[in-house]
Amino acid sequence: MKKTLLATAILLATSAANAAWTSPDGSLTIGGDAEINFDVFKNENGINADYVNQGNIDNDKKGETITQLNDDSRIKLMVEWKTAREDGAYLSAKIEPLVRTDGTVRVDDAYFMFGREDSWAFQIGRYEAMNLFPLGKDVALFYADGGDGIGKGIYYYMAKEARGRRDAAGQARIMSEMGNWTAEVSTVYGNTADLLGASREYVDGDNDTLDSDNNSFMVRPAVNYLSDDGAFSVSFGGEYEVSGDSVTVDGKGINTGEVLELANRYGLAATTTMTFGDLVWNTSIAMQDAKDAWEAHTFNTNIVYKNAFGLGTSYAVNKFTNKADAADAKSYAVYTAYTMPIMDFNNATVTFALSYSDTENAYGIKDTDEQTTAFRSRFNYYF
């Protein structure tokens, strides 16, 4: 596949609007976007994970109020090459490097894909599988002493552990379209210690050691139905760790020497989306049962109007079954956002977003509470 310097120069000169160049060998698309955030956080009456040590609270830190400023920005580039035939068969490869303003470089998508249009596809590499818990316009959504990953004061589970983009693990999935239905089975395999590494905070033990055999194999089937007019959609699915001994913690309980099987867990989720003209309404529920350690339940409902205004709320409950005398952790979050164009350009916007969250009994420790208020202004430029 030969490309001349002239063609390359023309491509780069016209790439300001997601440029595409087509040849008999296929099509090359280059684009990206800049996302610049300015954040203000206020944590009240809070206990950070750094101050929790095997269930003991540092009383000197309890009840403090912290206000912080933050910059969490990046520029994403996208390069995709696609080769297609008239019968619908195609090959595709895509990479999306992220250059962050803190000087680090990461990757969103990096995958190879092949299949037949409107029929089936196979994908392998780094990607995100079907979204089973859409949050709508969550430009600012910061949980009080919590998060959407394991190891926080409360776990907002959303059936995304096996959705993809893990640090060291591989991914592969098969997808199929059948009329109004789309189905897929996605997998994550290899080292998933980055996912479970923070789970020590949920274990009532002493000097716990996390071990991974690098043989994790998570399976995530998902199904979506979309009505003929596109006004109604329902998705449901789950995720399960097939390799039951892939991640363990030595030291279940205090000085018992037992082994805690953190990989012994499964999760389920379902979501509905209804469209009323310019208004989109999402409602989702999810639950996870990590039999040896915790249970997590999460609910969310949100609306988005003309993709400019969004409003949503989430509620979560965690039960820490491995901790003696643990209280149920409970939390809610409310968030909103409004987007407007910059100087009437259709590829540049600014969004103003606000969220508030309140968590009780974080980490299962009674009266370990926190309230978090956050404001974010986000500038986006798509090219």
mmCIF file of all heavy atoms in Angstrom, residues 40-86:
data_model
loop_
_atom_site.group_PDB
_atom_site.id
_atom_site.type_symbol
_atom_site.label_atom_id
_atom_site.label_comp_id
_atom_site.label_asym_id
_atom_site.label_seq_id
_atom_site.Cartn_x
_atom_site.Cartn_y
_atom_site.Cartn_z
ATOM 1 N N VAL A 40 -13.144 22.538 40.486
ATOM 2 C CA VAL A 40 -13.108 22.982 41.878
ATOM 3 C C VAL A 40 -13.862 21.941 42.704
ATOM 4 O O VAL A 40 -15.023 21.630 42.414
ATOM 5 C CB VAL A 40 -13.764 24.365 42.061
ATOM 6 C CG1 VAL A 40 -13.663 24.792 43.523
ATOM 7 C CG2 VAL A 40 -13.124 25.400 41.152
ATOM 8 N N PHE A 41 -13.197 21.361 43.715
ATOM 9 C CA PHE A 41 -13.794 20.354 44.592
ATOM 10 C C PHE A 41 -13.847 20.874 46.022
ATOM 11 O O PHE A 41 -12.921 21.538 46.479
ATOM 12 C CB PHE A 41 -12.951 19.064 44.609
ATOM 13 C CG PHE A 41 -12.737 18.448 43.262
ATOM 14 C CD1 PHE A 41 -11.614 18.764 42.516
ATOM 15 C CD2 PHE A 41 -13.635 17.536 42.748
ATOM 16 C CE1 PHE A 41 -11.392 18.195 41.284
ATOM 17 C CE2 PHE A 41 -13.431 16.963 41.519
ATOM 18 C CZ PHE A 41 -12.308 17.294 40.784
ATOM 19 N N LYS A 42 -14.919 20.507 46.708
ATOM 20 C CA LYS A 42 -15.021 20.789 48.133
ATOM 21 C C LYS A 42 -15.510 19.533 48.832
ATOM 22 O O LYS A 42 -16.641 19.092 48.630
ATOM 23 C CB LYS A 42 -15.979 21.951 48.402
ATOM 24 C CG LYS A 42 -16.031 22.354 49.876
ATOM 25 C CD LYS A 42 -16.955 23.538 50.087
ATOM 26 C CE LYS A 42 -16.972 23.964 51.561
ATOM 27 N NZ LYS A 42 -17.892 25.116 51.784
ATOM 28 N N ASN A 43 -14.650 18.918 49.645
ATOM 29 C CA ASN A 43 -14.992 17.729 50.424
ATOM 30 C C ASN A 43 -15.222 18.150 51.875
ATOM 31 O O ASN A 43 -14.326 18.701 52.518
ATOM 32 C CB ASN A 43 -13.868 16.692 50.361
ATOM 33 C CG ASN A 43 -13.653 16.168 48.959
ATOM 34 O OD1 ASN A 43 -14.612 15.972 48.222
ATOM 35 N ND2 ASN A 43 -12.401 15.957 48.580
ATOM 36 N N GLU A 44 -16.407 17.888 52.371
ATOM 37 C CA GLU A 44 -16.764 18.269 53.731
ATOM 38 C C GLU A 44 -16.944 17.044 54.614
ATOM 39 O O GLU A 44 -17.498 16.035 54.190
ATOM 40 C CB GLU A 44 -18.065 19.074 53.729
ATOM 41 C CG GLU A 44 -17.983 20.367 52.951
ATOM 42 C CD GLU A 44 -19.301 21.110 52.968
ATOM 43 O OE1 GLU A 44 -19.560 21.828 53.952
ATOM 44 O OE2 GLU A 44 -20.064 20.965 52.005
ATOM 45 N N ASN A 45 -16.474 17.151 55.858
ATOM 46 C CA ASN A 45 -16.717 16.115 56.865
ATOM 47 C C ASN A 45 -16.192 14.764 56.402
ATOM 48 O O ASN A 45 -16.766 13.712 56.657
ATOM 49 C CB ASN A 45 -18.219 16.023 57.163
ATOM 50 C CG ASN A 45 -18.508 15.239 58.438
ATOM 51 O OD1 ASN A 45 -17.745 15.333 59.393
ATOM 52 N ND2 ASN A 45 -19.574 14.468 58.435
ATOM 53 N N GLY A 46 -15.082 14.786 55.666
ATOM 54 C CA GLY A 46 -14.686 13.587 54.941
ATOM 55 C C GLY A 46 -13.551 12.794 55.539
ATOM 56 O O GLY A 46 -12.755 13.266 56.341
ATOM 57 N N ILE A 47 -13.499 11.525 55.122
ATOM 58 C CA ILE A 47 -12.410 10.617 55.453
ATOM 59 C C ILE A 47 -11.879 10.056 54.147
ATOM 60 O O ILE A 47 -12.568 9.330 53.444
ATOM 61 C CB ILE A 47 -12.878 9.447 56.339
ATOM 62 C CG1 ILE A 47 -13.503 9.978 57.618
ATOM 63 C CG2 ILE A 47 -11.714 8.520 56.659
ATOM 64 C CD1 ILE A 47 -12.549 10.727 58.513
ATOM 65 N N ASN A 48 -10.669 10.416 53.781
ATOM 66 C CA ASN A 48 -10.053 9.898 52.569
ATOM 67 C C ASN A 48 -9.497 8.503 52.824
ATOM 68 O O ASN A 48 -9.165 8.150 53.952
ATOM 69 C CB ASN A 48 -8.931 10.835 52.118
ATOM 70 C CG ASN A 48 -8.350 10.456 50.784
ATOM 71 O OD1 ASN A 48 -7.507 9.581 50.710
ATOM 72 N ND2 ASN A 48 -8.811 11.119 49.738
ATOM 73 N N ALA A 49 -9.388 7.710 51.755
ATOM 74 C CA ALA A 49 -8.882 6.340 51.911
ATOM 75 C C ALA A 49 -7.501 6.311 52.552
ATOM 76 O O ALA A 49 -7.146 5.356 53.241
ATOM 77 C CB ALA A 49 -8.843 5.643 50.554
ATOM 78 N N ASP A 50 -6.703 7.352 52.333
ATOM 79 C CA ASP A 50 -5.370 7.399 52.919
ATOM 80 C C ASP A 50 -5.427 7.425 54.448
ATOM 81 O O ASP A 50 -4.446 7.109 55.112
ATOM 82 C CB ASP A 50 -4.609 8.634 52.435
ATOM 83 C CG ASP A 50 -4.341 8.581 50.947
ATOM 84 O OD1 ASP A 50 -4.327 7.459 50.400
ATOM 85 O OD2 ASP A 50 -4.157 9.648 50.338
ATOM 86 N N TYR A 51 -6.580 7.797 55.015
ATOM 87 C CA TYR A 51 -6.699 7.929 56.459
ATOM 88 C C TYR A 51 -7.420 6.738 57.089
ATOM 89 O O TYR A 51 -7.729 6.744 58.268
ATOM 90 C CB TYR A 51 -7.449 9.217 56.815
ATOM 91 C CG TYR A 51 -6.892 10.444 56.147
ATOM 92 C CD1 TYR A 51 -7.739 11.423 55.642
ATOM 93 C CD2 TYR A 51 -5.520 10.608 56.000
ATOM 94 C CE1 TYR A 51 -7.228 12.553 55.021
ATOM 95 C CE2 TYR A 51 -5.005 11.731 55.373
ATOM 96 C CZ TYR A 51 -5.856 12.700 54.894
ATOM 97 O OH TYR A 51 -5.353 13.802 54.271
ATOM 98 N N VAL A 52 -7.738 5.745 56.287
ATOM 99 C CA VAL A 52 -8.402 4.553 56.805
ATOM 100 C C VAL A 52 -7.375 3.416 56.843
ATOM 101 O O VAL A 52 -6.781 3.075 55.843
ATOM 102 C CB VAL A 52 -9.607 4.151 55.934
ATOM 103 C CG1 VAL A 52 -10.236 2.874 56.454
ATOM 104 C CG2 VAL A 52 -10.633 5.272 55.927
ATOM 105 N N ASN A 53 -7.174 2.832 58.008
ATOM 106 C CA ASN A 53 -6.174 1.771 58.167
ATOM 107 C C ASN A 53 -6.829 0.572 58.839
ATOM 108 O O ASN A 53 -6.960 0.533 60.055
ATOM 109 C CB ASN A 53 -4.982 2.281 58.989
ATOM 110 C CG ASN A 53 -3.912 1.217 59.155
ATOM 111 O OD1 ASN A 53 -3.890 0.236 58.424
ATOM 112 N ND2 ASN A 53 -3.026 1.415 60.123
ATOM 113 N N GLN A 54 -7.249 -0.397 57.993
ATOM 114 C CA GLN A 54 -7.876 -1.623 58.497
ATOM 115 C C GLN A 54 -9.031 -1.315 59.450
ATOM 116 O O GLN A 54 -9.190 -1.931 60.504
ATOM 117 C CB GLN A 54 -6.836 -2.498 59.192
ATOM 118 C CG GLN A 54 -5.668 -2.897 58.318
ATOM 119 C CD GLN A 54 -6.126 -3.682 57.100
ATOM 120 O OE1 GLN A 54 -7.162 -4.318 57.144
ATOM 121 N NE2 GLN A 54 -5.364 -3.637 56.027
ATOM 122 N N GLY A 55 -9.847 -0.330 59.078
ATOM 123 C CA GLY A 55 -11.047 -0.042 59.849
ATOM 124 C C GLY A 55 -10.847 0.966 60.963
ATOM 125 O O GLY A 55 -11.798 1.294 61.652
ATOM 126 N N ASN A 56 -9.649 1.466 61.157
ATOM 127 C CA ASN A 56 -9.410 2.448 62.206
ATOM 128 C C ASN A 56 -9.317 3.842 61.607
ATOM 129 O O ASN A 56 -8.569 4.074 60.656
ATOM 130 C CB ASN A 56 -8.104 2.134 62.942
ATOM 131 C CG ASN A 56 -8.173 0.786 63.626
ATOM 132 O OD1 ASN A 56 -9.174 0.443 64.237
ATOM 133 N ND2 ASN A 56 -7.106 -0.001 63.497
ATOM 134 N N ILE A 57 -10.060 4.791 62.148
ATOM 135 C CA ILE A 57 -10.093 6.138 61.612
ATOM 136 C C ILE A 57 -9.107 7.021 62.364
ATOM 137 O O ILE A 57 -9.021 6.987 63.585
ATOM 138 C CB ILE A 57 -11.511 6.727 61.721
ATOM 139 C CG1 ILE A 57 -12.498 5.870 60.921
ATOM 140 C CG2 ILE A 57 -11.554 8.165 61.251
ATOM 141 C CD1 ILE A 57 -13.938 6.313 61.083
ATOM 142 N N ASP A 58 -8.357 7.794 61.601
ATOM 143 C CA ASP A 58 -7.483 8.793 62.192
ATOM 144 C C ASP A 58 -8.364 9.969 62.631
ATOM 145 O O ASP A 58 -8.816 10.762 61.811
ATOM 146 C CB ASP A 58 -6.448 9.250 61.155
ATOM 147 C CG ASP A 58 -5.458 10.246 61.740
ATOM 148 O OD1 ASP A 58 -5.716 10.755 62.849
ATOM 149 O OD2 ASP A 58 -4.436 10.504 61.082
ATOM 150 N N ASN A 59 -8.617 10.081 63.939
ATOM 151 C CA ASN A 59 -9.547 11.088 64.415
ATOM 152 C C ASN A 59 -9.078 12.511 64.161
ATOM 153 O O ASN A 59 -9.881 13.446 64.117
ATOM 154 C CB ASN A 59 -9.801 10.892 65.911
ATOM 155 C CG ASN A 59 -10.623 9.651 66.196
ATOM 156 O OD1 ASN A 59 -11.560 9.353 65.478
ATOM 157 N ND2 ASN A 59 -10.254 8.918 67.241
ATOM 158 N N ASP A 60 -7.769 12.685 63.961
ATOM 159 C CA ASP A 60 -7.272 14.022 63.660
ATOM 160 C C ASP A 60 -7.737 14.496 62.290
ATOM 161 O O ASP A 60 -7.765 15.690 62.009
ATOM 162 C CB ASP A 60 -5.736 14.040 63.707
ATOM 163 C CG ASP A 60 -5.215 13.831 65.118
ATOM 164 O OD1 ASP A 60 -5.964 14.117 66.060
ATOM 165 O OD2 ASP A 60 -4.063 13.375 65.258
ATOM 166 N N LYS A 61 -8.075 13.550 61.410
ATOM 167 C CA LYS A 61 -8.487 13.908 60.061
ATOM 168 C C LYS A 61 -10.008 13.942 59.914
ATOM 169 O O LYS A 61 -10.530 14.455 58.944
ATOM 170 C CB LYS A 61 -7.916 12.904 59.053
ATOM 171 C CG LYS A 61 -6.393 12.873 58.993
ATOM 172 C CD LYS A 61 -5.839 14.182 58.455
ATOM 173 C CE LYS A 61 -4.325 14.114 58.296
ATOM 174 N NZ LYS A 61 -3.767 15.379 57.763
ATOM 175 N N LYS A 62 -10.714 13.363 60.875
ATOM 176 C CA LYS A 62 -12.168 13.264 60.747
ATOM 177 C C LYS A 62 -12.815 14.640 60.831
ATOM 178 O O LYS A 62 -12.493 15.446 61.692
ATOM 179 C CB LYS A 62 -12.742 12.359 61.839
ATOM 180 C CG LYS A 62 -14.229 12.089 61.681
ATOM 181 C CD LYS A 62 -14.708 11.085 62.705
ATOM 182 C CE LYS A 62 -16.193 10.794 62.533
ATOM 183 N NZ LYS A 62 -16.677 9.796 63.497
ATOM 184 N N GLY A 63 -13.751 14.899 59.888
ATOM 185 C CA GLY A 63 -14.501 16.124 59.913
ATOM 186 C C GLY A 63 -13.837 17.296 59.225
ATOM 187 O O GLY A 63 -14.388 18.393 59.228
ATOM 188 N N GLU A 64 -12.676 17.110 58.599
ATOM 189 C CA GLU A 64 -12.027 18.246 57.972
ATOM 190 C C GLU A 64 -12.692 18.580 56.634
ATOM 191 O O GLU A 64 -13.309 17.739 55.989
ATOM 192 C CB GLU A 64 -10.540 17.978 57.751
ATOM 193 C CG GLU A 64 -10.239 16.919 56.711
ATOM 194 C CD GLU A 64 -8.746 16.721 56.537
ATOM 195 O OE1 GLU A 64 -7.975 17.413 57.209
ATOM 196 O OE2 GLU A 64 -8.369 15.880 55.716
ATOM 197 N N THR A 65 -12.579 19.843 56.226
ATOM 198 C CA THR A 65 -13.096 20.313 54.951
ATOM 199 C C THR A 65 -11.928 20.720 54.066
ATOM 200 O O THR A 65 -11.052 21.474 54.492
ATOM 201 C CB THR A 65 -14.049 21.508 55.154
ATOM 202 O OG1 THR A 65 -15.174 21.077 55.918
ATOM 203 C CG2 THR A 65 -14.521 22.057 53.824
ATOM 204 N N ILE A 66 -11.915 20.196 52.851
ATOM 205 C CA ILE A 66 -10.816 20.455 51.925
ATOM 206 C C ILE A 66 -11.388 21.015 50.623
ATOM 207 O O ILE A 66 -12.306 20.445 50.050
ATOM 208 C CB ILE A 66 -10.022 19.175 51.622
ATOM 209 C CG1 ILE A 66 -9.467 18.563 52.912
ATOM 210 C CG2 ILE A 66 -8.892 19.450 50.642
ATOM 211 C CD1 ILE A 66 -8.782 17.235 52.714
ATOM 212 N N THR A 67 -10.852 22.133 50.159
ATOM 213 C CA THR A 67 -11.202 22.694 48.861
ATOM 214 C C THR A 67 -9.977 22.613 47.962
ATOM 215 O O THR A 67 -8.881 23.016 48.361
ATOM 216 C CB THR A 67 -11.671 24.151 48.990
ATOM 217 O OG1 THR A 67 -12.821 24.197 49.848
ATOM 218 C CG2 THR A 67 -12.039 24.721 47.635
ATOM 219 N N GLN A 68 -10.169 22.086 46.760
ATOM 220 C CA GLN A 68 -9.048 21.870 45.856
ATOM 221 C C GLN A 68 -9.379 22.381 44.467
ATOM 222 O O GLN A 68 -10.538 22.361 44.034
ATOM 223 C CB GLN A 68 -8.705 20.377 45.771
ATOM 224 C CG GLN A 68 -8.209 19.770 47.067
ATOM 225 C CD GLN A 68 -7.974 18.277 46.924
ATOM 226 O OE1 GLN A 68 -8.821 17.552 46.429
ATOM 227 N NE2 GLN A 68 -6.822 17.822 47.368
ATOM 228 N N LEU A 69 -8.342 22.819 43.739
ATOM 229 C CA LEU A 69 -8.428 23.146 42.319
ATOM 230 C C LEU A 69 -7.702 22.062 41.543
ATOM 231 O O LEU A 69 -6.710 21.508 42.010
ATOM 232 C CB LEU A 69 -7.798 24.510 42.029
ATOM 233 C CG LEU A 69 -8.369 25.704 42.798
ATOM 234 C CD1 LEU A 69 -7.624 26.969 42.428
ATOM 235 C CD2 LEU A 69 -9.853 25.862 42.522
ATOM 236 N N ASN A 70 -8.179 21.771 40.343
ATOM 237 C CA ASN A 70 -7.597 20.657 39.603
ATOM 238 C C ASN A 70 -7.698 20.904 38.106
ATOM 239 O O ASN A 70 -8.620 21.572 37.630
ATOM 240 C CB ASN A 70 -8.316 19.352 39.968
ATOM 241 C CG ASN A 70 -7.643 18.146 39.345
ATOM 242 O OD1 ASN A 70 -6.435 17.995 39.437
ATOM 243 N ND2 ASN A 70 -8.424 17.300 38.699
ATOM 244 N N ASP A 71 -6.733 20.359 37.380
ATOM 245 C CA ASP A 71 -6.753 20.346 35.916
ATOM 246 C C ASP A 71 -6.629 18.905 35.454
ATOM 247 O O ASP A 71 -5.648 18.229 35.767
ATOM 248 C CB ASP A 71 -5.592 21.177 35.351
ATOM 249 C CG ASP A 71 -5.565 21.158 33.829
ATOM 250 O OD1 ASP A 71 -5.187 20.110 33.260
ATOM 251 O OD2 ASP A 71 -5.908 22.165 33.202
ATOM 252 N N ASP A 72 -7.635 18.420 34.756
ATOM 253 C CA ASP A 72 -7.650 17.036 34.262
ATOM 254 C C ASP A 72 -7.945 17.089 32.766
ATOM 255 O O ASP A 72 -9.068 16.861 32.329
ATOM 256 C CB ASP A 72 -8.703 16.227 35.012
ATOM 257 C CG ASP A 72 -8.798 14.796 34.511
ATOM 258 O OD1 ASP A 72 -7.803 14.308 33.931
ATOM 259 O OD2 ASP A 72 -9.857 14.171 34.666
ATOM 260 N N SER A 73 -6.934 17.407 31.962
ATOM 261 C CA SER A 73 -7.140 17.717 30.553
ATOM 262 C C SER A 73 -6.298 16.828 29.659
ATOM 263 O O SER A 73 -5.305 16.236 30.098
ATOM 264 C CB SER A 73 -6.801 19.191 30.275
ATOM 265 O OG SER A 73 -7.501 20.041 31.153
ATOM 266 N N ARG A 74 -6.726 16.735 28.383
ATOM 267 C CA ARG A 74 -5.973 15.944 27.423
ATOM 268 C C ARG A 74 -6.343 16.331 26.002
ATOM 269 O O ARG A 74 -7.399 16.927 25.748
ATOM 270 C CB ARG A 74 -6.205 14.442 27.643
ATOM 271 C CG ARG A 74 -7.335 13.798 26.876
ATOM 272 C CD ARG A 74 -8.722 14.192 27.294
ATOM 273 N NE ARG A 74 -9.771 13.441 26.637
ATOM 274 C CZ ARG A 74 -10.267 13.688 25.436
ATOM 275 N NH1 ARG A 74 -9.767 14.645 24.702
ATOM 276 N NH2 ARG A 74 -11.261 12.969 24.949
ATOM 277 N N ILE A 75 -5.475 15.956 25.074
ATOM 278 C CA ILE A 75 -5.764 16.029 23.640
ATOM 279 C C ILE A 75 -5.711 14.613 23.090
ATOM 280 O O ILE A 75 -4.751 13.878 23.328
ATOM 281 C CB ILE A 75 -4.773 16.943 22.896
ATOM 282 C CG1 ILE A 75 -4.952 18.383 23.365
ATOM 283 C CG2 ILE A 75 -4.969 16.837 21.388
ATOM 284 C CD1 ILE A 75 -4.023 19.366 22.709
ATOM 285 N N LYS A 76 -6.770 14.222 22.386
ATOM 286 C CA LYS A 76 -6.852 12.878 21.817
ATOM 287 C C LYS A 76 -6.719 12.945 20.307
ATOM 288 O O LYS A 76 -7.375 13.751 19.652
ATOM 289 C CB LYS A 76 -8.176 12.210 22.190
ATOM 290 C CG LYS A 76 -8.354 10.826 21.587
ATOM 291 C CD LYS A 76 -9.561 10.101 22.146
ATOM 292 C CE LYS A 76 -10.863 10.697 21.677
ATOM 293 N NZ LYS A 76 -12.038 9.917 22.149
ATOM 294 N N LEU A 77 -5.880 12.074 19.762
ATOM 295 C CA LEU A 77 -5.745 11.922 18.323
ATOM 296 C C LEU A 77 -6.390 10.602 17.912
ATOM 297 O O LEU A 77 -6.393 9.633 18.679
ATOM 298 C CB LEU A 77 -4.272 11.950 17.909
ATOM 299 C CG LEU A 77 -3.486 13.202 18.307
ATOM 300 C CD1 LEU A 77 -2.030 13.060 17.880
ATOM 301 C CD2 LEU A 77 -4.104 14.447 17.670
ATOM 302 N N MET A 78 -6.926 10.559 16.699
ATOM 303 C CA MET A 78 -7.561 9.339 16.207
ATOM 304 C C MET A 78 -7.078 9.060 14.796
ATOM 305 O O MET A 78 -7.117 9.940 13.924
ATOM 306 C CB MET A 78 -9.080 9.488 16.206
ATOM 307 C CG MET A 78 -9.845 8.210 15.836
ATOM 308 S SD MET A 78 -9.989 7.940 14.035
ATOM 309 C CE MET A 78 -11.052 9.293 13.574
ATOM 310 N N VAL A 79 -6.585 7.846 14.593
ATOM 311 C CA VAL A 79 -6.164 7.405 13.265
ATOM 312 C C VAL A 79 -6.823 6.061 12.997
ATOM 313 O O VAL A 79 -6.694 5.132 13.807
ATOM 314 C CB VAL A 79 -4.625 7.277 13.156
ATOM 315 C CG1 VAL A 79 -4.242 6.798 11.763
ATOM 316 C CG2 VAL A 79 -3.954 8.608 13.474
ATOM 317 N N GLU A 80 -7.546 5.946 11.874
ATOM 318 C CA GLU A 80 -8.227 4.699 11.528
ATOM 319 C C GLU A 80 -8.012 4.377 10.058
ATOM 320 O O GLU A 80 -8.155 5.249 9.189
ATOM 321 C CB GLU A 80 -9.723 4.799 11.820
ATOM 322 C CG GLU A 80 -10.495 3.516 11.508
ATOM 323 C CD GLU A 80 -11.962 3.616 11.831
ATOM 324 O OE1 GLU A 80 -12.469 4.756 11.926
ATOM 325 O OE2 GLU A 80 -12.615 2.565 12.005
ATOM 326 N N TRP A 81 -7.668 3.136 9.772
ATOM 327 C CA TRP A 81 -7.537 2.648 8.401
ATOM 328 C C TRP A 81 -8.577 1.559 8.196
ATOM 329 O O TRP A 81 -8.722 0.657 9.026
ATOM 330 C CB TRP A 81 -6.137 2.087 8.136
ATOM 331 C CG TRP A 81 -5.994 1.607 6.718
ATOM 332 C CD1 TRP A 81 -6.154 0.339 6.264
ATOM 333 C CD2 TRP A 81 -5.688 2.403 5.577
ATOM 334 N NE1 TRP A 81 -5.972 0.281 4.914
ATOM 335 C CE2 TRP A 81 -5.690 1.547 4.454
ATOM 336 C CE3 TRP A 81 -5.418 3.764 5.388
ATOM 337 C CZ2 TRP A 81 -5.422 1.995 3.159
ATOM 338 C CZ3 TRP A 81 -5.151 4.207 4.100
ATOM 339 C CH2 TRP A 81 -5.152 3.341 3.008
ATOM 340 N N LYS A 82 -9.331 1.656 7.086
ATOM 341 C CA LYS A 82 -10.399 0.696 6.820
ATOM 342 C C LYS A 82 -10.365 0.255 5.365
ATOM 343 O O LYS A 82 -10.266 1.088 4.460
ATOM 344 C CB LYS A 82 -11.769 1.300 7.153
ATOM 345 C CG LYS A 82 -12.915 0.312 7.031
ATOM 346 C CD LYS A 82 -14.221 0.938 7.514
ATOM 347 C CE LYS A 82 -15.371 -0.059 7.476
ATOM 348 N NZ LYS A 82 -16.640 0.523 7.979
ATOM 349 N N THR A 83 -10.438 -1.035 5.163
ATOM 350 C CA THR A 83 -10.524 -1.619 3.833
ATOM 351 C C THR A 83 -11.855 -2.351 3.717
ATOM 352 O O THR A 83 -12.175 -3.188 4.566
ATOM 353 C CB THR A 83 -9.377 -2.615 3.579
ATOM 354 O OG1 THR A 83 -8.131 -1.959 3.807
ATOM 355 C CG2 THR A 83 -9.423 -3.145 2.155
ATOM 356 N N ALA A 84 -12.642 -2.025 2.685
ATOM 357 C CA ALA A 84 -13.977 -2.601 2.546
ATOM 358 C C ALA A 84 -14.205 -3.105 1.126
ATOM 359 O O ALA A 84 -13.628 -2.581 0.170
ATOM 360 C CB ALA A 84 -15.047 -1.576 2.908
ATOM 361 N N ARG A 85 -15.059 -4.134 1.008
ATOM 362 C CA ARG A 85 -15.474 -4.659 -0.292
ATOM 363 C C ARG A 85 -16.945 -4.357 -0.524
ATOM 364 O O ARG A 85 -17.685 -4.057 0.409
ATOM 365 C CB ARG A 85 -15.240 -6.169 -0.366
ATOM 366 C CG ARG A 85 -13.788 -6.590 -0.330
ATOM 367 C CD ARG A 85 -13.638 -8.020 -0.859
ATOM 368 N NE ARG A 85 -14.564 -8.953 -0.226
ATOM 369 C CZ ARG A 85 -14.189 -9.991 0.520
ATOM 370 N NH1 ARG A 85 -12.894 -10.199 0.740
ATOM 371 N NH2 ARG A 85 -15.087 -10.801 1.056
ATOM 372 N N GLU A 86 -17.390 -4.496 -1.773
ATOM 373 C CA GLU A 86 -18.773 -4.208 -2.114
ATOM 374 C C GLU A 86 -19.750 -5.181 -1.461
ATOM 375 O O GLU A 86 -20.926 -4.855 -1.279
ATOM 376 C CB GLU A 86 -18.958 -4.225 -3.631
ATOM 377 C CG GLU A 86 -18.227 -3.091 -4.347
ATOM 378 C CD GLU A 86 -18.503 -3.090 -5.830
ATOM 379 O OE1 GLU A 86 -19.214 -4.015 -6.304
ATOM 380 O OE2 GLU A 86 -18.013 -2.173 -6.518
#
